[in-house]
Amino acid sequence: MCGIVGIVGKPNATEIIIKGLEKLEYRGYDSAGLFVANDTTSSLVKAQGRIKNLSDKLTPEVSGTIGIGHTRWATHGQPSEENAHPHTSQSQRLVLVHNGVIENFEELKSTYLAADTFIGETDTEIAVHVVEAFMNQGLDTKAAFKKALSVIRGSYAFGLIDKEDTETIYVAKNKSPLLVGLGDGFNVICSDAMAMLEQTNRFVELVDGEMVIVTADAIAIEDQEGHAIERESYEAQLDLTDIEKGTYPYYMLKEIDEQPAVMRRIIQNYANQEGEIQLDADLLNAMKDRDRIYIIGCGTSSHAGWVGKKIIETLTNIPVEIHLSSEFGYNMPLLSEKPFFIFLSQSGETADSRQVLVKINELNYPSLTITNVAGSTLSREATYTLLLHAGPEIAVASTKAYTAQIAVLAVLAKALGQQKGLAQAADFAFVHELGLVATAMESIINEKDLISELVAEYLTETRNAFYIGRGVDYYVSMEAALKLKEISYIQAEGFAAGELKHGTIALIEEGTPVLGIITDEVTGAHTRGNLKEVESRGAKTLVLASADLAKPTDQIVLPTVHPLLSALLTVVPTQLVAYFATLQRGYDVDKPRNLAKSVTVE
Ligand code: M6R
C-alpha cells in the first residue's frame, strides 16, 4: 500500500528519501515520486512503476534539505505519472503526499474548487487544492491546513510542504499510520518505522486528529482544538539486518526458513524457565468468563484464526466464531451476551479490521490484538495486545506470521484453559510440543529439492489446482491455496474434502492437480476416499501426510506432531510449493501483481 517518507534538516534529502522509499517497496505500489527543496530551488519528480524508474530520472540538480516522497498503490485514478504523488496546489506553491482515501472528495471539489484545474484524477490533488483555497481566503499555511483537515472526511496520513517555507513539514493523520522520527539536527516522517531506521530509531506516535509541525530542530504536536501535546518518544525494536535479504534470493524463502526460530522465540517470550506460560493476568481475567470469542481478520490472518478456533475451543471450552473483517463491520451478526474480540493482523494496520475495532470500541466490548507490529494502530486501539515476535515480514505472501499467529493463539488458549482450571489445558505440554514442532519444521525446510521436483511434475503447466482436507487439514488447505494463487497466479482453491462431490468435482479434468492434506486418522481415511474419487475422474493427486498415517505412495511425509499443532507443520510444504511454482513460472515471488503487503484502505 502507499508509503510516505519525509525529512527536514539534512543536505542529502533526495538520497534519504529514495532509500526510505526502497524500504517501503515490499508494501506494494505502482508509482513513486518525491519533492525536494532548499532556499533557492525545488524539484518534483515522479515515475510510474518501480522506484528504479524514479531514481533513473534524478539529476544532480534534484537536491535539497527538505523533502517528501511517496509510493502509491492506486485507489482513485489509474497508476500513472499524473496520479503519482506528491501533488501540487493550483498555484504549485503547496506540495502534498497522502496515504488513505478521502471520502468526500467530490463534495470538496464542488464546494471549494469550482474554478480549479487538475493534473490527475486523485482525491489527494483535491486535498492540496483545498488547503490553498483556504490560504486564498487569507489564512497562513498552518491555519489553512488545519481548516482543510476540518472539512476532509476519510482516512489520511498527510505530509505537506509550502515552497515559500522550506524549513517545515506539516503533518496530520486520521486512521492511516504515520510516525515522526527524531534526529540530531533533523527530523523525519514515515508511514513505517522501517523506512527511516537508517536515520533514527527514536519515533513519536501520532494520534488520529492531531497535526504536527516538523522542523529540523523541533516537532510541535497539536490536537484539534489547538492545544499543545507533549508525547514521549520510543525506541523502535527493529534491527536493520531483520529487513535485509542476506544471501536469500527472496524474502519469502528467508521467512519460510525463519519459522523454526520464530517458534522458539515465541516460547522464550511467553514461557518461563520451567516451561510455564506467563501472560498478562488482566487479559486472562477479562477473557475467562466470556461466553464467546469472535476472531476477526483478513486473508492469511483469518485462516490462522480457523486453526486457532480449534485450539481455543479444545483447551478452554469457549465457543469461537471466525469472521472476515470486511464482512463483519457492515453485516454484524447477532452477538452473544458477553463477547470477547480477538483481532488477528500481522501488520496491525489493515483498514478492514480497524473499522471493526472502531465499532467494537464504540460498543465497549473488550478486545485483544495479536500482531507482529508493536505500536501499530490495531495494537494501540485494542484493550490488550500480544505480539507475534516473528520479526519483520517483508514478502507480500504471509508465511511466518501465519505460523506465529497460530502459536500465539495456542499460548493464549493454554493459559486461559489453565486459568479456568481445565484438565485438558493442564495436560497439554505446550512448550514441549511447540519445541518438537520447531524441530520438525526444520526437517521439512530441508526437503526443498523434493518439493521443487514435485512442483515441476505437478504444477508447471496447470491452469488450476485444488487443496483438500478435513477439519484442521481443511483450514490449512484454504491457506495453502491462497498462497499458491496469490504469487503463482495458478487458480487454486482450498476445499473441505467432503464438499467436492457437492459441486466442485465437476471442475476435475484429466491431469488437474489435487493436493490432499492428511494428519487425522478418522478424517484422513475419508480424505483418502475423496482423493480416489477425483483420481478416477482424471485428477493427478499428491498427498501430504503425517508419518503415523502415511502410505508408501504418499509424496510428502511430515513428522507426526501434537494434533492441535499439526497446522504449524503441514503449512510449511505448501508455502514451499507456492514458492517453487512461482519461481518456475518466472514471477516475482515477493511482489505479486495487484497486491500490497499492508492493506490500509477498506
Ligand atoms: O496485516 P494483516 O494480517 O491484517 O493482513 C491481512 C491480509 O491482507 C494478509 O494476510 C494477506 O492475505 C496475505 N498477504 C496473504 O499472504
Side-chain angles (χ1 to χ4, degrees):
M1 275 285 105
C2 304
I4 289 177
V5 293
I7 182 153
V8 52
K10 274 202 168 181
N12 54 340
T14 307
E15 187 194 328
I16 292 168
I17 289 169
I18 289 289
K19 279 191 175 173
L21 292 178
E22 283 169 354
K23 293 278 183 298
L24 295 178
E25 276 197 291
Y26 78 97
R27 297 165 69 98
Y29 67 103
D30 41 51
S31 55
L34 62 76
F35 170 80
V36 285
N38 56 32
D39 289 349
T40 49
T41 63
S42 69
S43 319
L44 177 66
V45 187
K46 310 198 228 182
Q48 198 183 329
R50 294 279 154 103
I51 294 184
K52 169 89 175 54
N53 303 350
L54 178 66
S55 304
D56 288 347
K57 286 177 136 182
L58 299 177
T59 57
E61 290 70 46
V62 182
S63 70
T65 53
I66 188 171
I68 44 180
H70 191 265
T71 47
R72 173 174 187 258
W73 189 83
T75 55
H76 292 70
Q78 300 228 328
S80 68
E81 209 169 302
E82 290 74 28
N83 288 330
H85 301 208
H87 285 287
T88 49
S89 58
Q90 180 72 24
S91 75
Q92 313 283 302
R93 174 175 163 178
L94 303 178
V95 187
L96 182 80
V97 286
H98 165 222
N99 286 356
V101 176
I102 296 171
E103 286 159 13
N104 60 336
F105 69 98
E106 279 168 332
E107 180 191 322
L108 292 171
K109 193 172 173 184
S110 57
T111 311
Y112 302 106
L113 311 172
D116 284 17
T117 50
F118 297 91
I119 295 167
E121 308 147 276
T122 69
D123 50 344
T124 308
E125 196 176 357
I126 288 167
V128 69
H129 278 234
V130 169
V131 180
E132 190 168 82
F134 292 141
M135 288 175 78
N136 292 340
Q137 292 174 3
L139 298 178
D140 64 18
T141 320
K142 180 181 160 191
F145 184 44
K146 192 163 186 182
K147 186 161 178 189
L149 296 176
S150 73
V151 297
I152 288 171
R153 277 203 319 274
S155 56
Y156 54 75
F158 286 134
L160 174 83
I161 294 177
D162 178 350
K163 286 183 190 168
E164 293 186 12
D165 166 16
T166 52
E167 295 186 354
T168 310
I169 308 178
Y170 299 86
V171 167
K173 84 170 275 294
N174 184 46
K175 298 192 208 166
S176 294
L178 196 64
L179 298 167
V180 177
L182 306 181
D184 185 7
F186 70 93
N187 285 311
V188 301
I189 63 167
C190 51
S191 50
D192 182 331
M194 278 201 260
M196 282 299 179
L197 265 190
E198 268 185 42
Q199 302 304 319
T200 181
N201 64 355
R202 293 220 71 80
F203 291 92
V204 176
E205 279 172 14
L206 306 182
V207 171
D208 283 356
E210 288 177 345
M211 184 173 95
V212 194
I213 311 297
V214 183
T215 56
D217 301 313
I219 67 161
I221 309 176
E222 280 183 18
D223 68 13
Q224 273 158 337
E225 284 73 46
H227 302 123
I229 307 278
E230 293 297 324
R231 184 162 305 129
E232 290 291 307
S233 62
Y234 69 93
E235 192 177 318
Q237 300 298 319
L238 284 170
D239 186 334
L240 267 182
T241 56
D242 286 347
I243 55 175
E244 303 297 343
K245 266 202 304 251
T247 54
Y248 281 94
Y250 288 99
Y251 280 107
M252 184 185 181
L253 194 61
K254 175 175 180 260
E255 289 159 8
I256 291 172
D257 277 6
E258 283 171 350
Q259 291 176 107
V262 172
M263 296 300 108
R264 295 185 181 115
R265 211 179 304 146
I266 286 170
I267 294 173
Q268 277 164 10
N269 277 281
Y270 287 109
N272 63 15
Q273 298 286 10
E274 286 71 47
E276 292 155 355
I277 301 291
Q278 311 278 287
L279 274 194
D280 178 5
D282 287 348
L283 166 64
L284 297 177
N285 285 331
M287 291 189 78
K288 74 177 190 313
D289 297 323
R290 293 281 138 183
D291 62 1
R292 193 166 288 256
I293 292 171
Y294 294 81
I295 297 184
I296 311 291
C298 314
T300 291
S301 292
S302 176
H303 294 158
W306 281 99
V307 180
K309 169 184 163 73
K310 175 79 182 168
I311 302 172
I312 296 171
E313 289 185 339
T314 304
L315 297 183
T316 72
N317 294 349
I318 303 176
V320 179
E321 289 184 20
I322 311 299
H323 290 274
L324 292 170
S325 313
S326 52
E327 284 296 308
F328 190 94
Y330 300 99
N331 192 15
M332 207 179 282
L334 199 57
L335 298 178
S336 68
E337 261 181 47
K338 292 197 290 179
F340 187 93
F341 287 83
I342 298 179
F343 289 83
L344 281 184
S345 176
Q346 186 284 131
S347 62
E349 300 295 350
T350 302
D352 286 327
S353 299
R354 205 252 176 173
Q355 53 91 12
V356 181
L357 179 54
V358 168
K359 289 178 182 138
I360 292 312
N361 284 341
E362 281 164 8
L363 294 168
N364 277 323
Y365 290 130
S367 58
L368 161 71
T369 288
I370 299 181
T371 181
N372 206 20
V373 184
S376 56
T377 306
L378 284 164
S379 160
R380 283 201 314 273
E381 295 182 358
T383 329
Y384 305 95
T385 296
L386 291 177
L387 293 177
L388 296 179
H389 299 290
E393 191 181 66
I394 309 284
V396 165
S398 186
T399 52
K400 62 178 178 173
Y402 172 82
T403 43
Q405 282 168 334
I406 293 170
V408 172
L409 283 166
V411 166
L412 178 67
K414 160 85 179 163
L416 187 56
Q418 279 187 314
Q419 170 93 353
K420 292 179 68 160
L422 298 173
Q424 68 269 35
D427 294 345
F428 178 42
F430 169 69
V431 168
H432 171 71
E433 298 295 350
L434 191 60
L436 296 179
V437 166
T439 307
M441 278 175 161
E442 278 161 352
S443 69
I444 297 298
I445 283 166
N446 288 336
E447 293 293 342
K448 292 191 182 85
D449 288 347
L450 166 72
I451 294 172
S452 170
E453 281 163 23
L454 289 170
V455 167
E457 187 185 338
Y458 281 79
L459 295 169
T460 307
E461 301 286 317
T462 191
R463 190 168 53 89
N464 57 4
F466 297 94
Y467 274 99
I468 62 168
R470 289 170 182 243
V472 171
D473 297 334
Y474 162 48
Y475 304 152
V476 176
S477 295
M478 293 194 284
E479 172 57 12
L482 174 61
K483 215 73 340 174
L484 186 58
K485 75 179 117 182
E486 75 176 317
I487 57 172
S488 76
Y489 316 140
I490 294 171
Q491 189 186 353
E493 298 305 333
F495 275 101
E499 265 302 288
L500 272 184
K501 59 186 174 297
H502 297 289
T504 310
I505 202 166
L507 295 175
I508 302 296
E509 294 171 347
E510 198 57 40
T512 305
V514 179
L515 293 81
I517 302 179
I518 294 175
T519 64
D520 176 86
E521 190 172 4
V522 177
T523 62
H526 289 294
T527 300
R528 283 200 191 276
N530 301 129
L531 284 165
K532 287 282 166 230
E533 287 160 12
V534 291
E535 256 172 33
S536 60
R537 286 158 180 85
K540 210 169 157 188
T541 60
L542 186 158
V543 179
L544 298 86
S546 56
D548 56 331
L549 304 175
K551 296 202 183 300
T553 49
D554 292 347
Q555 291 85 342
I556 300 176
V557 178
L558 306 146
T560 304
V561 294
H562 192 286
L564 281 182
L565 302 180
S566 67
L568 294 174
L569 203 56
T570 43
V571 78
V572 178
T574 72
Q575 296 166 342
L576 287 167
V577 164
Y579 174 80
F580 286 115
T582 308
L583 218 54
Q584 286 171 15
R585 284 171 188 236
Y587 298 124
D588 185 335
V589 173
D590 287 338
K591 298 191 197 91
R593 68 187 177 208
N594 304 336
L595 288 175
K597 179 66 181 164
S598 175
V599 185
T600 50
V601 291
E602 279 178 44

